[in-house]
mmCIF file of all heavy atoms in Angstrom:
data_model
loop_
_atom_site.group_PDB
_atom_site.id
_atom_site.type_symbol
_atom_site.label_atom_id
_atom_site.label_comp_id
_atom_site.label_asym_id
_atom_site.label_seq_id
_atom_site.Cartn_x
_atom_site.Cartn_y
_atom_site.Cartn_z
ATOM 1 N N THR A 312 179.959 103.356 52.544
ATOM 2 C CA THR A 312 180.189 104.668 51.908
ATOM 3 C C THR A 312 181.456 105.354 52.429
ATOM 4 O O THR A 312 182.029 104.948 53.435
ATOM 5 C CB THR A 312 179.012 105.665 52.052
ATOM 6 O OG1 THR A 312 178.945 106.171 53.382
ATOM 7 C CG2 THR A 312 177.702 105.029 51.609
ATOM 8 N N TRP A 313 181.815 106.411 51.730
ATOM 9 C CA TRP A 313 183.025 107.152 52.073
ATOM 10 C C TRP A 313 182.805 108.090 53.257
ATOM 11 O O TRP A 313 183.639 108.179 54.162
ATOM 12 C CB TRP A 313 183.516 107.968 50.861
ATOM 13 C CG TRP A 313 184.758 108.722 51.177
ATOM 14 C CD1 TRP A 313 184.872 110.026 51.552
ATOM 15 C CD2 TRP A 313 186.076 108.181 51.223
ATOM 16 N NE1 TRP A 313 186.175 110.344 51.820
ATOM 17 C CE2 TRP A 313 186.934 109.219 51.619
ATOM 18 C CE3 TRP A 313 186.618 106.911 50.949
ATOM 19 C CZ2 TRP A 313 188.307 109.033 51.753
ATOM 20 C CZ3 TRP A 313 187.986 106.732 51.082
ATOM 21 C CH2 TRP A 313 188.810 107.781 51.475
ATOM 22 N N SER A 314 181.669 108.806 53.252
ATOM 23 C CA SER A 314 181.508 109.880 54.234
ATOM 24 C C SER A 314 180.239 109.768 55.082
ATOM 25 O O SER A 314 179.925 110.672 55.845
ATOM 26 C CB SER A 314 181.492 111.235 53.520
ATOM 27 O OG SER A 314 180.361 111.351 52.667
ATOM 28 N N HIS A 315 179.511 108.649 54.935
ATOM 29 C CA HIS A 315 178.384 108.361 55.825
ATOM 30 C C HIS A 315 177.265 109.389 55.730
ATOM 31 O O HIS A 315 176.711 109.828 56.734
ATOM 32 C CB HIS A 315 178.862 108.240 57.279
ATOM 33 C CG HIS A 315 178.004 107.329 58.110
ATOM 34 N ND1 HIS A 315 176.855 107.755 58.723
ATOM 35 C CD2 HIS A 315 178.111 106.022 58.409
ATOM 36 C CE1 HIS A 315 176.307 106.747 59.384
ATOM 37 N NE2 HIS A 315 177.047 105.678 59.202
ATOM 38 N N HIS A 316 176.905 109.738 54.517
ATOM 39 C CA HIS A 316 175.709 110.554 54.300
ATOM 40 C C HIS A 316 174.550 109.649 53.857
ATOM 41 O O HIS A 316 174.778 108.578 53.300
ATOM 42 C CB HIS A 316 175.973 111.614 53.225
ATOM 43 C CG HIS A 316 176.817 112.753 53.705
ATOM 44 N ND1 HIS A 316 178.180 112.649 53.865
ATOM 45 C CD2 HIS A 316 176.487 114.011 54.089
ATOM 46 C CE1 HIS A 316 178.660 113.796 54.315
ATOM 47 N NE2 HIS A 316 177.653 114.642 54.471
ATOM 48 N N PRO A 317 173.313 110.083 54.081
ATOM 49 C CA PRO A 317 172.177 109.287 53.589
ATOM 50 C C PRO A 317 172.287 109.080 52.074
ATOM 51 O O PRO A 317 172.463 110.037 51.317
ATOM 52 C CB PRO A 317 170.958 110.158 53.947
ATOM 53 C CG PRO A 317 171.420 111.014 55.086
ATOM 54 C CD PRO A 317 172.875 111.281 54.817
ATOM 55 N N SER A 318 172.157 107.846 51.646
ATOM 56 C CA SER A 318 172.403 107.523 50.240
ATOM 57 C C SER A 318 171.474 108.285 49.309
ATOM 58 O O SER A 318 171.891 108.781 48.257
ATOM 59 C CB SER A 318 172.224 106.013 50.016
ATOM 60 O OG SER A 318 173.101 105.279 50.832
ATOM 61 N N THR A 319 170.195 108.374 49.687
ATOM 62 C CA THR A 319 169.234 108.989 48.764
ATOM 63 C C THR A 319 169.416 110.501 48.677
ATOM 64 O O THR A 319 168.812 111.136 47.827
ATOM 65 C CB THR A 319 167.785 108.670 49.170
ATOM 66 O OG1 THR A 319 167.499 109.266 50.452
ATOM 67 C CG2 THR A 319 167.548 107.164 49.234
ATOM 68 N N SER A 320 170.233 111.080 49.551
ATOM 69 C CA SER A 320 170.502 112.519 49.476
ATOM 70 C C SER A 320 171.613 112.826 48.483
ATOM 71 O O SER A 320 171.923 113.989 48.241
ATOM 72 C CB SER A 320 170.899 113.060 50.862
ATOM 73 O OG SER A 320 172.205 112.626 51.219
ATOM 74 N N LEU A 321 172.213 111.781 47.920
ATOM 75 C CA LEU A 321 173.344 111.948 47.002
ATOM 76 C C LEU A 321 172.881 111.783 45.558
ATOM 77 O O LEU A 321 171.955 111.017 45.270
ATOM 78 C CB LEU A 321 174.422 110.901 47.318
ATOM 79 C CG LEU A 321 174.949 110.883 48.751
ATOM 80 C CD1 LEU A 321 175.892 109.694 48.946
ATOM 81 C CD2 LEU A 321 175.667 112.189 49.089
ATOM 82 N N THR A 322 173.551 112.471 44.654
ATOM 83 C CA THR A 322 173.298 112.252 43.229
ATOM 84 C C THR A 322 173.855 110.884 42.834
ATOM 85 O O THR A 322 174.647 110.268 43.574
ATOM 86 C CB THR A 322 173.992 113.322 42.378
ATOM 87 O OG1 THR A 322 175.418 113.165 42.523
ATOM 88 C CG2 THR A 322 173.574 114.728 42.815
ATOM 89 N N ASN A 323 173.474 110.425 41.658
ATOM 90 C CA ASN A 323 174.026 109.160 41.175
ATOM 91 C C ASN A 323 175.544 109.187 41.196
ATOM 92 O O ASN A 323 176.198 108.242 41.652
ATOM 93 C CB ASN A 323 173.552 108.892 39.740
ATOM 94 C CG ASN A 323 172.076 108.566 39.663
ATOM 95 O OD1 ASN A 323 171.388 108.477 40.686
ATOM 96 N ND2 ASN A 323 171.577 108.386 38.441
ATOM 97 N N GLU A 324 176.100 110.274 40.704
ATOM 98 C CA GLU A 324 177.556 110.364 40.598
ATOM 99 C C GLU A 324 178.200 110.402 41.981
ATOM 100 O O GLU A 324 179.248 109.776 42.212
ATOM 101 C CB GLU A 324 177.939 111.618 39.802
ATOM 102 C CG GLU A 324 177.561 111.568 38.329
ATOM 103 C CD GLU A 324 176.069 111.813 38.084
ATOM 104 O OE1 GLU A 324 175.374 112.256 39.035
ATOM 105 O OE2 GLU A 324 175.613 111.560 36.958
ATOM 106 N N GLN A 325 177.604 111.136 42.898
ATOM 107 C CA GLN A 325 178.158 111.187 44.254
ATOM 108 C C GLN A 325 178.107 109.820 44.923
ATOM 109 O O GLN A 325 179.070 109.396 45.578
ATOM 110 C CB GLN A 325 177.375 112.199 45.106
ATOM 111 C CG GLN A 325 177.658 113.642 44.771
ATOM 112 C CD GLN A 325 176.758 114.604 45.527
ATOM 113 O OE1 GLN A 325 175.600 114.283 45.832
ATOM 114 N NE2 GLN A 325 177.268 115.782 45.831
ATOM 115 N N PHE A 326 176.994 109.126 44.764
ATOM 116 C CA PHE A 326 176.874 107.821 45.414
ATOM 117 C C PHE A 326 177.894 106.838 44.844
ATOM 118 O O PHE A 326 178.546 106.094 45.598
ATOM 119 C CB PHE A 326 175.458 107.270 45.246
ATOM 120 C CG PHE A 326 175.262 105.939 45.927
ATOM 121 C CD1 PHE A 326 175.203 105.858 47.308
ATOM 122 C CD2 PHE A 326 175.183 104.770 45.183
ATOM 123 C CE1 PHE A 326 175.056 104.624 47.944
ATOM 124 C CE2 PHE A 326 175.041 103.543 45.808
ATOM 125 C CZ PHE A 326 174.974 103.468 47.194
#
Side-chain angles (χ1 to χ4, degrees):
T312 74
W313 181 263
S314 65
H315 208 275
H316 285 77
S318 301
T319 64
S320 72
L321 304 174
T322 66
N323 290 357
E324 292 77 13
Q325 286 174 328
F326 181 72

